[in-house]
Amino acid sequence: MRHSSDIPLQPYTVTAAEVVPGDLLALSEQDAAENTWYVVMHTVPENPETIRMIVRPPLGGGDHDEFLARSQQVTVAGHRMDVAAVPLATSSDLGAADLRDGDRVTSLRAVDPRAVEETYVRRWGRWYRDLDNPAERPLTDAGLRELAERAAGRDHLVRHHPRPQQPARVATPRRVVVTGLGAITPLGVGVTELWQGLVEGRCGIRELEGEEFADLPVRVAGTVPVDPVGLLPRPQARRMNRAAQFGVLAAREAWQDAGFDAAGTTGSGLAPERVGVSVGAILGDASVLVGGDRALRDKGPRAVSPLTTPMTVPSQAASQISLDLRITGEARTVTSACASGTEAIGQAIDRIRYGRVDVALAGGAEAVVTPAIMAAFASMRALSNHGVGEVSPSRPFSRDRDGFVNGEGAGFLVLEAEEHARARGARVYCEAAGWGLSADAHHMAAPDPSGNGVALALRRALEDADAHAVDVVHVNAHATATAEGDLAEAAAVRAVLGGGVPVTALKGHLGHLQGAAGGVEAVATVLTLHRGVIPPTIGGTEEDPEIGLDVVRTAPRPLTPVGDLALSNSFGFGGHNAVLALRRVA
């Protein structure tokens, strides 16, 4: 039988005696006008004046008899169907059905040969026609049963399709989980300081001291309040740039938080070649190169340190982490502007999924609070002119936002193949469920105001996580507090998820940590899922009404139990967009 939309309908009037099996029959002109048709399955003469016709809806259903006078005028559709291809079916009894998430219920107006089947899917105890339409109002089980009962009484065929059992598949990508967290940020050293500062609404942005900053038009930044040199053995610290020092400290914390030995891979009983490092960085630490150039100008070539080159490259953090923990599987560096940390985590997820490594330290490290970088950002008019006070100078989604605040730090996750983590009895924070990338292709610095590129990255992250918009319970926004950037991100979130998903933005607490932002904000998003609490957004006194999002402000908010996915967004100069999808585990 051809698809229902291909069936030509050219109604005309005949007598009942002229009707033959296979005809599409309307019993009245009104039925024909309302597209209520039946297939004549059999005709049986009852007596010289009457014919009994056994009819069935053309798209499937039960049979019933119609008794017509031979001379009675009826309407046929000018199309004859194969009666053997019309299914004999009955509607499912939903009143007695055990309904579970993943089940489908379909409703088809079987008397209309051109009807399109309507499908409802059960997710989080509610029924949706479109899991990715945030504006849809879902049905309860009782609401769906009532709808199905009404539909079945209007010549609809209602069928219940229980959730299919998933057969075992060969070469399925491995599930990846988060087992360790580490961070060093403007709120302090360690994940505990980070989390407490976020939920308490503390601001780590401070005035820059020192004569090298004295003449700058902007002198506030999110700086780490502790000198990392004092937290490392001096011979080791002097061979690292500041970003690498941050990276090693945060990676060590994450490593030990995951239950591994401080001595590294061998001390933890791991094969070093089955462990990897993936670090996001833009510049790493520009001050080393600037210092080398100053020494060259002031004192000549012999004054330039032989450590200048290895300490200048953005890959130094990844190199030093691998040295510190004896990791030989791989040490990769991702440079994609402010999306670097999130992309580094995404790449590590795939390396574990497809068996290249079993464990990975992934995140970002950056230290670019230097006079030259500050001056460059100020020249772009990208920095906030608000000073340090009772309200953070970084004001995401606020009406009075006027630019970002530069920052520094590092944040790392320990990612692990689930079977590897379960085998050693590791504590699992959440699943690293997927990620998405896109590019704006719009401008070398400004975001695409439509938000289309960001929306594409959001959709790809959902798809990679095998998820839908209705699963999302929280978004950790990139929200740098620039006028255009916040609007573009808000437009994308509304387009993909609607305006009702709770959103928080952390740059009021931290400033913008550049390549490290994605790593630190991923740590915060993991803890949001694990602890069931959304930290508040700080900065600003009045939300921009054009944002149109449910921005969590003033105080922490409990995470809703309906849904299981949180998204962490990172977007960078040049149109780099990266989104990480994390899933709550039971």
Side-chain angles (χ1 to χ4, degrees):
M1 185 172 67
R2 289 184 293 173
H3 189 272
S4 59
S5 63
D6 295 333
I7 296 175
L9 299 180
Q10 298 174 328
Y12 61 93
T13 302
V14 298
T15 64
E18 296 175 274
V19 174
V20 298
D23 275 346
L24 275 172
L25 174 72
L27 298 172
S28 67
E29 290 183 1
Q30 182 177 351
D31 281 354
E34 295 175 352
N35 285 323
T36 300
W37 300 90
Y38 293 93
V39 179
V40 178
M41 307 299 290
H42 300 285
T43 58
V44 180
E46 286 289 302
N47 54 54
E49 289 79 29
T50 305
I51 299 174
R52 178 166 64 97
M53 296 184 184
I54 303 168
V55 298
R56 184 183 300 174
L59 300 185
D63 292 342
H64 70 272
D65 293 344
E66 292 287 346
F67 295 88
L68 303 175
R70 287 177 173 273
S71 60
Q72 181 176 335
Q73 297 286 306
V74 294
T75 302
V76 292
H79 177 79
R80 193 160 292 163
M81 300 184 66
D82 178 3
V83 295
V86 182
L88 180 64
T90 57
S91 290
S92 300
D93 180 9
L94 294 185
D98 179 19
L99 303 176
R100 301 178 301 161
D101 277 7
D103 287 2
R104 292 184 304 115
V105 168
T106 57
S107 177
L108 178 66
R109 188 170 183 263
V111 295
D112 181 356
R114 295 172 177 266
V116 176
E117 190 171 65
E118 194 171 63
T119 300
Y120 291 83
V121 180
R122 193 176 192 267
R123 194 99 164 178
W124 306 110
R126 297 289 186 269
W127 292 89
Y128 297 84
R129 284 182 295 180
D130 184 351
L131 292 168
D132 291 307
N133 178 9
E136 180 181 344
R137 297 184 63 181
L139 295 172
T140 63
D141 286 347
L144 182 83
R145 286 188 167 106
E146 181 181 349
L147 180 73
E149 184 177 357
R150 289 200 310 267
R154 299 196 308 267
D155 297 317
H156 282 63
L157 185 62
V158 178
R159 306 300 298 275
H160 176 219
H161 308 271
R163 181 182 65 205
Q165 296 295 323
Q166 292 290 336
R169 293 182 292 176
V170 179
T172 300
R174 299 190 296 179
R175 192 168 180 241
V176 181
V177 295
V178 179
T179 57
L181 304 173
I184 180 166
T185 74
L187 290 172
V189 176
V191 169
T192 299
E193 287 294 314
L194 170 65
W195 183 250
Q196 287 181 348
L198 294 178
V199 296
E200 292 170 6
R202 287 195 275 116
C203 178
I205 297 169
R206 46 189 58 87
E207 292 278 353
L208 292 172
E209 300 177 353
E211 62 179 271
E212 69 270 27
F213 297 108
D215 296 329
L216 295 180
V218 176
R219 293 183 297 278
V220 297
T223 54
V224 172
V226 176
D227 186 352
V229 173
L231 304 176
L232 293 164
R234 184 170 179 79
Q236 185 180 15
R238 67 184 295 270
R239 293 177 177 272
M240 295 186 217
N241 63 35
R242 186 174 173 88
Q245 292 165 1
F246 291 152
V248 167
L249 290 169
R252 283 181 178 179
E253 182 187 18
W255 184 257
Q256 293 177 57
D257 184 51
F260 295 126
D261 192 278
T265 53
T266 52
S268 303
L270 298 173
E273 69 275 11
R274 298 298 302 166
V275 182
V277 178
S278 184
V279 181
I282 303 174
L283 297 174
D285 183 353
S287 65
V288 176
L289 186 60
V290 172
D293 184 69
R294 183 179 296 121
L296 175 65
R297 292 172 183 273
D298 294 346
K299 300 179 180 180
R302 291 183 180 276
V304 179
S305 168
L307 296 176
T308 299
T309 297
M311 290 175 63
T312 296
V313 293
S315 60
Q316 211 213 13
S319 171
Q320 289 294 330
I321 292 168
S322 70
L323 283 167
D324 190 65
L325 297 172
R326 313 308 301 167
I327 293 170
T328 64
E330 57 189 35
R332 61 177 54 234
T333 300
V334 177
T335 301
S336 53
C338 308
S340 300
T342 297
E343 185 174 344
I345 295 170
Q347 290 196 14
I349 290 171
D350 280 351
R351 301 299 284 175
I352 295 171
R353 275 176 171 173
Y354 298 105
R356 302 296 186 262
V357 293
D358 300 318
V359 180
L361 271 160
E366 200 83 79
V368 291
V369 182
T370 66
I373 297 298
M374 293 291 294
F377 282 142
S379 294
M380 295 175 65
R381 299 184 180 179
L383 295 181
S384 172
N385 288 300
H386 294 300
V388 175
E390 292 185 4
V391 178
S392 171
S394 176
R395 303 178 179 183
F397 297 134
S398 178
R399 185 193 290 271
D400 61 347
R401 67 188 184 279
D402 67 343
F404 72 85
V405 173
N406 195 20
E408 64 179 7
F412 280 86
L413 313 180
V414 171
L415 301 172
E416 199 166 346
E418 183 183 31
E419 63 267 29
H420 189 278
R422 301 293 185 193
R424 66 182 187 87
R427 178 261 334 277
V428 172
Y429 282 106
C430 66
E431 179 189 356
W435 64 301
L437 289 178
S438 72
D440 280 356
H442 174 72
H443 188 270
M444 66 180 294
D448 180 352
S450 72
N452 290 339
V454 172
L456 177 59
L458 288 165
R459 291 189 180 99
R460 284 178 169 170
L462 292 176
E463 181 181 5
D464 195 45
D466 192 23
H468 299 276
V470 299
D471 302 324
V472 179
V473 295
H474 170 56
V475 175
N476 188 302
H478 183 64
T480 61
T482 60
E484 298 85 359
D486 286 13
L487 286 175
E489 182 176 10
V493 172
R494 292 195 308 270
V496 178
L497 304 174
V501 177
V503 174
T504 196
L506 306 183
K507 291 179 175 62
H509 305 78
L510 305 168
H512 187 355
L513 307 191
Q514 308 297 328
V520 170
E521 290 167 14
V523 169
T525 309
V526 169
L527 288 172
T528 295
L529 283 176
H530 184 66
R531 296 178 181 269
V533 175
I534 304 172
T537 301
I538 68 169
T541 56
E542 185 178 354
E543 187 167 325
D544 184 348
E546 292 188 54
I547 294 300
L549 298 175
D550 179 15
V551 179
V552 178
R553 291 195 182 272
T554 309
R557 184 189 300 180
L559 200 65
T560 175
V562 180
D564 63 355
L565 206 72
L567 303 178
S568 183
N569 295 344
S570 293
F571 315 121
F573 281 169
H576 300 279
N577 304 313
V579 177
L580 178 66
L582 300 165
R583 178 172 283 122
R584 179 164 44 193
V585 294

